[in-house]
Amino acid sequence: MFANLLSTLQPAAARRALAWAAVVVGSSATLGIAWRTVLLTVAVALGGCAALPSQVERPLSYARTDVADTRLAQIAAASTAGASAPELSGFRLLPDGAEAFAARMALIRRAEKTLDVQYYVIASDATGREFLRELQAAAARGVRVRVLVDDLYATGQDELFAGLAANANVEVRMFNPLPVRGGGFVQRIVLSMHQFSRINHRMHNKLFIADGSFAVTGGRNIADEYFDRSGRANFIDMDLLSTGPVVAQLAAVFDQFWNSDVAYPVASLSRRTPSRAAFERQVEGASIVPAAGADSIEAQLDGGRIELEPAAADVVADAPQKATGDELSPTVAEAHVALIDSARTSVMIASPYFVPGAATRDALAALRSRDVEVSVLTNSLATTDEPLVHYGYANHRNALLTAGVDLHELMPTGEVAGDGHAAILGSSGGGSSGGSSSLGRLHTKLTVVDDERTFVGSMNMDARSARLNTEAGIVIHSAHLARLVGKFLRVRQELASYKVQRQGDRLSWQSGQGDAQRTRSAEPKAPVAPALPIRLLAQLMGEGIL
């Protein structure tokens, strides 16, 4: 029955539910030792005692530094030539999905020596196949390609990734892989339950580095819905193009994960002989034509200089050991709490999955006690792809509103009034590429402090990101970029979100402005409401899993 329920959920929601099940199975406070032993024995039996290979060769490799003679290194130098100090890096925001994908493709096609790629998800859809095909083409030119992918959502992709790794100059490693390789998403996890205390820890990082000169970081995975190419739902997200000293720091983070004991060469996991021909059959026909405007990254690369904002920055990243249950301080979550705690005037937060733990909740309440303005933008129940998480967030709304925190919940695309508003909001997350019927879902993870400092990264503000997943991000010290990100968030708060308010002992959801203002007394929901069992499951789950 539990497996049937999971099969009806979105993969992300199923992951949360399975995590809860693992805690139940593994907790002596929940089940007696005898019952836990029985359940774990059944899981082992069903999984056929599946285990990861014990003898695995992981040749150490590190970021190349002999890149000064590459064209990308020369463009990076020209793009930061006007910086007032050599320790400053250069940054450009990539809020538009199509442009964010085009930037990656343009950098792949111009790379001469090395490409390092680290993602939570590389899907086998049109976007993922085109991305992998371009990596193969780069390797054929002699570029060293290293691809590190978290294994959780790589169901059925062993042949695809092993086929890519069969090409000269390419290595592919899977992070913290599940021992069961066959079957569907739910089946693999259920049959791997005997190792769930380990596999519940995931690598959530997103990082792309070309010739050690340009990096792209942020919230986007590699899949259609992150680049406005899904007809059903697209994510509103933000990436950051970087160059300068910060790239070397990001490359060091990549090397830590690449050389860790929980990164397995895909060939050591695949049951089939790697086949370049099989890979080429899978990626054949994948074609995406990125937009290339006059001020696009591609056009500016052709011109030999990219418009960037010079700024000091700090890279914050969890150690790969967090994936084995060892937390090495400071974690990204701890660094983030310290950042918001330093605010003097204002904090703006965007998090798609917002379930504040005690440290975050106390930090936000302390800010309001100092008259620091605090606003949060997250998904509504009508836009979230993880209703379980939303229910966890909903438990905190009253306390946050009582403390004086402004709460904004994204509204469905169809409720955003006026063509002018749609133009202002831009295409990312249900715009022109996805069509007007495409649902926009918040996925960006941003924090702006005092209109001076900005956090851009992979971390959600929930216990999973804080305790279970590895995360990474960049804190940029730039008033100019902070104002741009603040505008990006403020426009979505004012034009495309419900403002949650208290009306007596009840909540209300306000949308629109002036004569078009509307107040709802009932929570806006998706067209198809989550099934009752999911609501019950959400009540049973602890926030440490959410």
Side-chain angles (χ1 to χ4, degrees):
M1 178 177 136
F2 184 64
N4 290 336
L5 171 60
L6 291 173
S7 67
T8 69
L9 301 181
Q10 293 285 338
R15 180 199 70 206
R16 305 270 181 172
L18 285 163
W20 170 82
V23 170
V24 172
V25 172
S27 172
S28 59
T30 307
L31 292 177
I33 294 176
W35 274 110
R36 287 191 295 119
T37 302
V38 169
L39 290 173
L40 290 172
T41 300
V42 170
V44 171
L46 291 174
C49 298
L52 294 170
S54 57
Q55 301 296 324
V56 178
E57 292 187 9
R58 299 179 180 85
L60 297 177
S61 65
Y62 297 92
R64 293 184 62 169
T65 56
D66 58 334
V67 296
D69 59 339
T70 64
R71 179 59 176 155
L72 287 180
Q74 294 165 2
I75 295 172
S79 302
T80 55
S84 58
E87 66 271 15
L88 298 183
S89 297
F91 299 99
R92 176 167 170 154
L93 300 173
L94 298 174
D96 181 81
E99 175 68 1
F101 183 73
R104 289 167 170 84
M105 300 297 277
L107 291 169
I108 292 174
R109 291 166 182 164
R110 287 160 178 78
E112 298 171 44
K113 291 190 175 181
T114 177
L115 288 164
D116 290 335
V117 175
Q118 179 183 12
Y119 282 101
Y120 181 49
V121 175
I122 299 180
S124 57
D125 58 15
T127 297
R129 295 195 304 273
E130 179 72 1
F131 181 78
L132 295 177
R133 189 171 68 179
E134 287 297 329
L135 292 179
Q136 180 198 38
R141 301 194 307 267
V143 178
R144 184 192 71 172
V145 177
R146 298 188 294 175
V147 179
L148 180 60
V149 186
D150 186 87
D151 188 63
L152 182 64
Y153 288 128
T155 299
Q157 291 182 278
D158 280 1
E159 185 179 34
L160 179 68
F161 288 126
L164 175 61
N167 289 268
N169 302 316
V170 180
E171 289 185 80
V172 179
R173 296 184 180 180
M174 311 303 294
F175 193 86
N176 213 7
L178 279 65
V180 175
R181 307 309 300 169
F185 176 81
V186 172
Q187 182 182 355
R188 288 181 69 211
I189 298 183
V190 170
L191 298 185
S192 300
M193 194 71 78
H194 57 292
Q195 293 192 20
F196 217 96
S197 61
R198 176 184 63 81
I199 64 174
N200 196 26
H201 293 77
R202 308 313 319 169
M203 180 191 77
H204 198 235
N205 308 41
K206 289 93 176 173
L207 177 60
F208 172 96
I209 305 175
D211 277 347
S213 302
F214 285 97
V216 180
T217 55
R220 289 186 175 98
N221 293 297
I222 305 298
D224 287 345
E225 57 267 30
Y226 294 93
F227 300 101
D228 296 329
R229 300 189 179 278
S230 170
R232 187 177 64 87
N234 287 298
F235 286 118
I236 299 168
D237 220 320
M238 176 77 78
D239 281 327
L240 185 70
L241 178 70
S242 310
T243 192
V246 73
V247 178
Q249 298 176 51
L250 293 168
V253 172
F254 179 92
D255 285 345
Q256 279 188 308
F257 279 81
W258 180 261
N259 293 312
S260 67
D261 290 340
V262 287
Y264 285 69
V266 67
S268 71
L269 303 170
S270 179
R271 299 174 180 176
R272 300 181 181 180
T273 302
S275 168
R276 289 176 54 188
F279 171 81
E280 289 168 359
R281 283 195 301 270
Q282 291 192 63
V283 301
E284 183 179 8
S287 179
I288 293 177
V289 181
D295 63 344
S296 69
I297 299 295
E298 184 170 13
Q300 292 190 12
L301 285 169
D302 288 340
R305 186 179 183 277
I306 295 180
E307 294 180 9
L308 301 170
E309 177 70 17
D314 304 307
V315 172
V316 292
D318 290 326
Q321 290 90 334
K322 188 179 178 185
T324 61
D326 298 323
E327 290 189 21
L328 302 181
S329 294
T331 63
V332 175
E334 290 168 343
H336 186 261
V337 168
L339 173 66
I340 63 177
D341 191 50
S342 70
R344 304 182 308 276
T345 59
S346 63
V347 172
M348 297 181 69
I349 294 169
S351 179
Y353 316 119
F354 181 70
V355 187
T360 301
R361 191 175 59 249
D362 291 347
L364 297 181
L367 290 174
R368 290 301 299 129
S369 69
R370 304 199 308 262
D371 291 327
V372 175
E373 296 179 0
V374 179
S375 66
V376 175
L377 173 64
T378 191
N379 278 302
S380 65
L381 183 57
T383 61
T384 186
D385 62 329
E386 293 223 31
L388 293 173
V389 180
H390 182 86
Y391 296 140
Y393 148 73
N395 292 332
H396 294 275
R397 283 188 297 211
N398 274 312
L400 291 168
L401 291 170
T402 300
V405 175
D406 285 338
L407 294 181
H408 302 266
E409 299 178 2
L410 193 72
M411 66 175 64
T413 309
E415 293 192 30
V416 179
D419 294 337
H421 289 173
I424 293 171
L425 291 169
S427 66
S428 186
S432 58
S433 298
S436 59
S437 62
S438 177
L439 176 66
R441 288 173 167 155
L442 187 71
H443 194 262
T444 190
K445 305 96 165 52
L446 297 168
T447 300
V448 181
V449 175
D450 295 339
D451 288 327
E452 294 176 351
R453 289 161 290 158
T454 305
F455 171 88
V456 182
S458 66
M459 186 197 74
N460 299 309
M461 291 187 67
D462 60 10
R464 172 161 290 277
S465 282
R467 297 173 52 196
L468 298 174
N469 293 343
T470 68
E471 308 287 356
I474 301 177
V475 178
I476 312 165
H477 303 262
S478 165
H480 176 68
L481 286 179
R483 286 193 295 270
L484 290 177
V485 174
K487 180 180 178 181
F488 175 87
L489 297 179
R490 199 169 289 110
V491 166
R492 282 156 180 79
Q493 288 178 354
E494 296 174 357
L495 302 182
S497 299
Y498 307 106
K499 185 172 183 180
V500 186
Q501 295 180 314
R502 292 281 299 274
Q503 287 191 339
D505 59 351
R506 300 177 62 86
L507 299 181
S508 66
W509 287 260
Q510 180 181 302
S511 61
Q513 297 175 330
D515 294 337
Q517 189 176 95
R518 178 185 178 187
T519 300
R520 301 167 181 258
S521 58
E523 181 164 13
K525 301 176 182 178
V528 178
L532 178 61
I534 301 182
R535 289 180 178 272
L536 294 176
L537 184 59
Q539 296 302 317
L540 291 171
M541 291 175 70
E543 289 186 5
I545 295 303
L546 294 174

